Amino acid sequence: MLRFRWFEAPFIQSFKPHNSPIRAQMGSYSTTSSSAQNSPKLVFRQLFEKESSTYTYLLADASHPQKPALLIDPVDKTADRDLALVKELGLKLIYAINTHVHADHITGSGLIKVRATPGHTLGCVTYVTGDGPNQPQPRMAFTGDALLIRGCGRTDFQGGSSDKLYDSVHSQIFTLPKDTLLYPAHDYKGFTVSSVGEEMLYNPRLSKDKETFKNIMQNLNLSYPKMMDVAVPANMVCGLQETKSEAC
């Protein structure tokens, strides 16, 4: 059974899908060469939405009769594409989960009408596959905006804190095995996957000491996210603004 743990700054908790476990090993994906990708049990797809440079991840258990599946960080504009892929692969979508309340696009979890988990912000989360003998090896971590490939998410809005982000990454992500594969929510340079060991060595921000990191983050001088005023309120209600009175 594939198990996920979710890490939320500054605490660590466990996450297990209720009633419908997704049992799996890593499936094939052409952009990585890891041996964990060779097992037929896990269907794994990395999808891309170009306007916000967002990655959506599809995982499913191909060995289960119902082929249960989950989507991580779906986007409203590509919901039809993602659902079509789910159908083509013969999967049953059980969960849609978000790594955080996005400020650069509207989530597709409401449109897909399955369970969402809001979380680089005060409630940012990272989903990590389990470490048991039947789990994918190397392990996989879906880091949202907390840890990007050779970068990290900004910390100047939505309750962000460079101090907390540094501690979260170093205590919750950099303590994972060094061969753990890292899949971020976005990439703007064409990268698709990294590893804990790579980012510990080469991340230009988080490989530094905390005070240097905080100074870097305080001097980024980034512009205001162009979709923030629309995306954040919408994502607080799973992307369905007309149903604000309903909980996600």
Side-chain angles (χ1 to χ4, degrees):
M1 180 174 65
L2 178 66
R3 297 185 182 275
F4 279 95
R5 289 190 297 160
W6 62 278
F7 295 161
E8 179 174 5
F11 304 106
I12 177 172
Q13 301 187 36
S14 63
F15 171 82
K16 300 178 183 178
H18 60 78
N19 299 327
S20 181
I22 297 180
R23 304 163 57 196
Q25 293 287 343
M26 281 290 286
S28 62
Y29 183 63
S30 59
T31 63
T32 62
S33 59
S34 167
S35 60
Q37 306 282 355
N38 297 326
S39 170
K41 293 183 180 180
L42 181 71
V43 176
F44 174 68
R45 296 292 186 273
Q46 183 179 43
L47 307 168
F48 188 68
E49 194 283 308
K50 62 182 180 180
E51 186 172 333
S52 60
S53 298
T54 296
Y55 285 127
T56 296
Y57 299 98
L58 172 65
L59 297 90
D61 181 7
S63 67
H64 191 280
Q66 294 184 332
K67 295 184 178 180
L70 65 83
L71 281 168
I72 298 176
D73 289 333
V75 180
D76 62 340
K77 293 181 179 180
T78 50
D80 289 342
R81 175 204 65 185
D82 298 346
L83 291 176
L85 178 60
V86 168
K87 184 177 180 180
E88 289 171 358
L89 296 178
L91 309 176
K92 182 179 181 180
L93 188 61
I94 304 298
Y95 299 106
I97 57 181
N98 295 294
T99 53
H100 60 292
V101 177
H102 304 277
D104 50 12
H105 69 269
I106 296 176
T107 181
S109 57
L111 295 175
I112 294 170
K113 297 182 179 178
V114 287
R115 186 181 180 196
T117 305
H120 110 83
T121 65
L122 186 61
C124 209
V125 296
T126 289
Y127 299 100
V128 183
T129 55
D131 58 356
N134 296 321
Q135 302 302 301
Q137 296 297 329
R139 296 173 71 181
M140 305 163 69
F142 299 88
T143 58
D145 281 12
L147 180 60
L148 304 177
I149 298 175
R150 308 300 192 264
C152 65
R154 60 196 294 175
T155 58
D156 58 341
F157 61 81
Q158 288 180 261
S161 165
S162 58
D163 188 85
K164 289 183 179 179
L165 179 59
Y166 188 92
D167 288 344
S168 294
V169 170
H170 280 261
S171 66
Q172 308 293 4
I173 300 177
F174 282 177
T175 53
L176 293 167
K178 290 184 179 181
D179 63 348
T180 301
L181 299 175
L182 301 178
Y183 294 96
H186 305 277
D187 190 83
Y188 308 98
K189 298 180 180 180
F191 295 111
T192 58
V193 61
S194 184
S195 70
V196 168
E198 280 186 42
E199 296 308 312
M200 290 177 69
L201 287 173
Y202 304 123
N203 192 292
R205 299 177 184 177
L206 285 155
S207 61
K208 305 294 192 294
D209 63 80
K210 183 189 283 192
E211 290 306 312
T212 301
F213 174 76
K214 290 167 65 175
N215 185 61
I216 291 172
M217 300 306 290
Q218 289 169 2
N219 291 281
L220 291 179
N221 299 316
L222 298 173
S223 60
Y224 192 77
K226 64 180 181 180
M227 280 194 66
M228 183 169 178
D229 293 338
V230 174
V232 171
N235 289 332
M236 293 296 288
V237 289
C238 297
L240 299 177
Q241 299 186 72
E242 65 270 23
T243 59
K244 288 184 178 180
S245 62
E246 300 178 7
C248 293

